[in-house]
Amino acid sequence: MNPAITNLVLMLVLMQVAKKIDFEDPDIKFYVRVAFITAQSITLGIYLYTRSIINKKNDLTTLKFVSPPNSLAGETEGKLTVTTVKEYDLEQIQTATKGVFTSLAMMGFMHLYMKYTNPLFMQIISPIKGALELNIVKIHLFGQAAVGDLKRPFKAASMFGGFGGNSEAKTDKATVEAAEKAGLGGIKAE
Amino acid sequence: MKLSGLNKEPMLEVLTESMVPGSKSTLTDLGTYLPEEASLKQHEYYATPLEDLEALGFIGRVKHYDWTLEGVGLLVIGVIVLLFTIGAKLNQGKVESFIKAIRPTLDENFAQVGVNDKDLYIKDSANDFVSYATGRINIKSLFFEFKLTPRQNLLQYFFESVFSAFFEAIPTPNDSVDITLQFHSDAQVAPFTFAIVNKDGMNKARADNYYLSLSKTVEDETLLPVNFVFMSESAELNKSLVTPELTQLLGKSGKILKYFAVSDLPSSKPTTEAQYANATSKIHVKLDLHNDKQSLETINELLSELIKLADVIAAPYVLKADQQKKIIATRTQELTKLQKSIQDAKDEELRDAKLEAEREARRNNGLSRDEQDKLDKKMREKRERRLRNRMNKRG
C-alpha cells in the first residue's frame, strides 16, 4: 500500500487515541517518553545495521546518473553524479539518519521547552514505519532485489505527484555521456 | 485581595518585612550572600581598609590575597596550551614521517629535497604544511601541500567532525596531501587528460577538478583493481600508460590514493582566457595520509612509479593523430564556450550601463515632478502599445 496513505491513516488513528490520554499524568508522561526514546533508538538501530550491511557488501559497481536541474537555484543543466552503489547507499542512510536527529531536536524543543507531550506520542510508530519502508532498508535488510521501484537512483517521492517538471534522474547513455563532457567541475567560489 | 487600582498584587511580604525595624529585607539579603569559603577570603581582602592593606607591605598583601581564581585561570590556559602543543606535534610528526618515507625516492631523483638547504618543509599553520623538491631532468618541481586534521584545536576538530555529518559544505576533517608535479617549460608534453581515480569519492574529485569533469569515467578490470576507474580522454592512453607494476601497486593503494591525473587543463575552471592559455601540463596527485609502515612504503613506491610515468610522458609520449585531434577539438570547444560566456557577461554589463544612463538622462531633464510623472506614463503607454502591436502581428 502507498506509504503516504498509511501514514495519513496512522496519524488520524493516533490523534483519536491521543484524545483519550491524559498527558498531564506523570506516569503516562514517563511511559510516553520511554516509548518515544525506544522508537528512536530502534530507528537508529535499523539504519546503523543497514549501514554495516552496506559496508560489508562493499558493492563498488559504478553508478552514473544526471539529476534534474534545480530550477529554484537557477540551474539550467542537470548535474552528473558518478558514484558507486556503496557510496550511493551510504548517502541514503546518512540522509535518513540526519532526519532522525532533526526530528529528535524538534521533539526535544516541543517537549522540553514547550511542554507538549502529544507530539512525542505521535512520533512513536511513524519513524520505525518510515525506516522499514525506506528503499535502501528494503534492499539490504529484507534482501529485496534492486529492480523496479528499488532500482538506483531512486525516484524521489514527489508531493505533487510529478507536477512541476521532470523530477526524475536520467540514466540513459546519451544524457550521461553529454554530461560527462560538460566541464562543470572546479568552479571556485569567488 | 486587591488594593488600589494595581493589576498586580503588591509584594506585601517583602514590604512589611523590611518595614519592621531590625529585620532584613530578603532583597538586600541576597546582595551580600557569600556561599563559598574562597570568595569569603576574597571578600575579606576587599573589605579591609586601604591603610591596613598598606601596612601589610607587598609580601603581606600577596599572602593575604586569595589567588584561587588566578590559579584556576592559569591551569585552564596551561591545559589549552598543552593540548595545542600535543596536537600540533602530532601533525608535525605525520608530515615528518611522510617525508622520511618518501626520502629515498626523492634523494634518488632530485638535486634539492626540501624548500631550501636547511628546511625540509614549511609549517604554514599547525595543520597546513608545504614541501618541495627540484632539480631533475624532465621535472621542474614537485610540490607537496599537506592539509591535516586540526588536531591542535580540539574544539574546531569536534565541530567539524559533527557538522560535516549534517552539512555538505563542511568537509569531513582528514589528513591529505596534494602533490603537483610540474614539467620543465620546454618539455614536449601532449595535451590530454589521463587519470586514475579512486571510486571512493570520485564524484567529489570530478566536482573539484575541471580537467576530470571533461573526461569519461570508465571501468577496466584488466588494467585496474576494482576500486579504481579511469577518467581519461582516450582509451589509448589507458592502454599505453598503465604498466603492470602500476596495476599491482594500485591494488595496494585503495586506502591511500584518491586520484592521480596528468592534464594540460587547470584544476579550477578558467574564467578568463589568460587562465586558460597559461595552464600547462602537470601531474596532480591526491593522497590520504596514513602513518602505518605499510602505507608509507606504498606511498614511496607510488611516487617512484609516478616519476617514471612523468619520464614516459615527457619522452615525449605521442598519441595517435586522430585521437590527439579529437582531444584538441574538445579544447577548442571549451575555449569557445569560455569566450562566449565572457562575451555574454560583457554584453550584459553594457546593457545595464545603457539602461542606467537612460534612466539618469530622464531624471535630469529639468522637468518638474508632475511633468516627469506624465512623461513616464506616456513612455510606458507607448511601450505597452508597441508590445501589444507586436503580439497582434504575431498572433
Side-chain angles (χ1 to χ4, degrees), chain A residues 60 62 64 82 94 180 183 186, chain B residues 165 199 203 207 217 219 269:
Chain A
L60 291 173
T62 315
K64 297 180 193 175
V82 181
Q94 175 82 1
E180 277 193 306
Chain B
K199 279 185 179 176
N203 199 44
T217 309
E219 284 176 306
K269 193 178 167 79

Side-chain angles (χ1 to χ4, degrees), chain B residues 23-42:
Chain B
S23 90
K24 265 197 283 173
S25 149
T26 40
L27 288 178
T28 50
D29 209 39
L30 280 172
T32 52
Y33 180 59
L34 293 165
E36 281 165 51
E37 199 70 20
S39 52
L40 202 66
K41 199 177 169 194
Q42 187 82 323

Side-chain angles (χ1 to χ4, degrees), chain B residues 17 29 31 33 80 95 179 197 228 233 249 254 260 265 267 279-280 285 300 308 317 339 344 347 350 391:
Chain B
E17 244 189 280
D29 209 39
Y33 180 59
I80 292 172
V95 172
I179 307 172
V197 182
F228 285 97
E233 284 184 297
L249 202 52
F260 83 78
L265 293 169
S267 149
T280 53
V285 189
N300 187 35
K308 273 183 213 155
Y317 170 76
Q339 281 162 340
D344 281 353
D347 285 351
L350 268 177
M391 295 267 270

Side-chain angles (χ1 to χ4, degrees), chain B residues 77-341:
Chain B
I77 292 171
V79 169
I80 292 172
V81 170
L82 188 73
L83 287 177
F84 182 94
T85 320
I86 292 174
K89 278 270 173 280
L90 274 176
N91 273 350
Q92 201 160 350
K94 280 214 159 214
V95 172
E96 271 166 11
S97 67
F98 176 87
I99 294 177
K100 202 177 145 218
I102 57 167
R103 208 51 209 273
T105 306
L106 291 183
D107 282 337
E108 199 181 306
N109 284 289
F110 294 93
Q112 182 195 317
V113 176
V115 284
N116 54 37
D117 294 337
K118 292 195 298 291
D119 303 311
L120 272 179
Y121 59 88
I122 289 177
K123 179 178 171 182
D124 281 333
S125 80
N127 56 343
D128 293 292
F129 295 79
V130 291
S131 186
Y132 185 74
T134 188
R136 187 189 187 277
I137 187 165
N138 290 335
I139 299 170
K140 188 174 157 200
S141 69
L142 208 55
F143 181 70
F144 299 83
E145 206 177 353
F146 300 86
K147 288 198 188 75
L148 306 180
T149 325
R151 288 187 182 76
Q152 80 286 3
N153 188 342
L154 289 181
L155 210 62
Q156 187 190 349
Y157 190 7
F158 174 75
F159 279 114
E160 272 182 17
S161 312
V162 172
F163 285 115
S164 62
F166 290 92
F167 302 101
E168 253 173 73
I170 301 173
T172 320
N174 78 324
D175 299 319
S176 69
V177 51
D178 286 287
I179 307 172
T180 313
L181 185 150
Q182 205 158 6
F183 294 99
H184 281 297
S185 47
D186 57 351
Q188 302 285 317
V189 182
F192 63 79
T193 300
F194 162 71
I196 294 178
V197 182
N198 197 322
K199 279 185 179 176
D200 183 20
M202 61 177 158
N203 199 44
K204 192 174 182 312
R206 276 188 78 94
D208 286 348
N209 296 295
Y210 174 64
Y211 51 80
L212 289 183
S213 68
L214 281 169
S215 44
K216 247 178 98 174
T217 309
V218 180
E219 284 176 306
D220 192 331
E221 273 144 46
T222 53
L223 293 173
L224 291 181
V226 69
N227 42 355
F228 285 97
V229 286
F230 282 120
M231 291 197 193
S232 308
E233 284 184 297
S234 151
E236 191 201 327
L237 289 164
N238 304 344
K239 270 185 222 118
S240 46
L241 291 179
V242 176
T243 57
E245 292 86 55
L246 185 63
T247 308
Q248 195 239 328
L249 202 52
L250 285 173
K252 293 192 284 180
S253 320
K255 239 175 57 183
I256 303 158
L257 181 70
K258 296 315 278 182
Y259 60 79
F260 83 78
V262 187
S263 183
D264 60 312
L265 293 169
S267 149
S268 55
K269 193 178 167 79
T271 48
T272 63
E273 276 186 63
Q275 274 174 13
Y276 191 91
N278 289 341
T280 53
S281 275
K282 280 179 192 145
I283 299 186
H284 308 264
V285 189
K286 192 178 185 77
L287 303 173
D288 263 356
L289 213 53
H290 291 283
N291 260 47
D292 52 301
K293 203 163 156 256
Q294 173 121 46
S295 300
L296 288 175
E297 245 169 56
T298 315
I299 287 173
N300 187 35
E301 286 170 47
L302 207 59
L303 191 69
S304 138
E305 203 58 45
L306 286 174
I307 289 171
K308 273 183 213 155
L309 179 74
D311 282 340
V312 172
I313 291 167
Y317 170 76
V318 186
L319 269 142
K320 279 194 198 115
D322 60 323
Q323 296 288 322
Q324 187 64 73
K325 222 163 127 189
K326 235 172 155 182
I327 291 169
I328 290 174
T330 314
R331 305 282 180 279
T332 325
Q333 231 173 51
E334 279 298 299
L335 188 61
T336 322
K337 259 204 267 178
L338 173 66
Q339 281 162 340
K340 190 170 170 290
S341 79

Side-chain angles (χ1 to χ4, degrees), chain B residues 363-393:
Chain B
R363 240 175 264 143
N364 298 332
N365 53 7
L367 290 175
S368 76
R369 204 191 175 110
D370 277 354
E371 285 169 323
Q372 180 69 55
D373 279 349
K374 242 182 239 164
L375 189 68
D376 277 349
K377 206 175 158 198
K378 229 164 137 189
M379 293 291 273
R380 196 161 53 237
E381 272 166 10
K382 200 170 153 193
R383 258 202 311 276
E384 275 163 13
R385 202 165 50 232
R386 227 184 265 159
L387 201 70
R388 245 197 324 271
N389 284 344
R390 215 178 299 160
M391 295 267 270
N392 284 342
K393 249 181 242 162

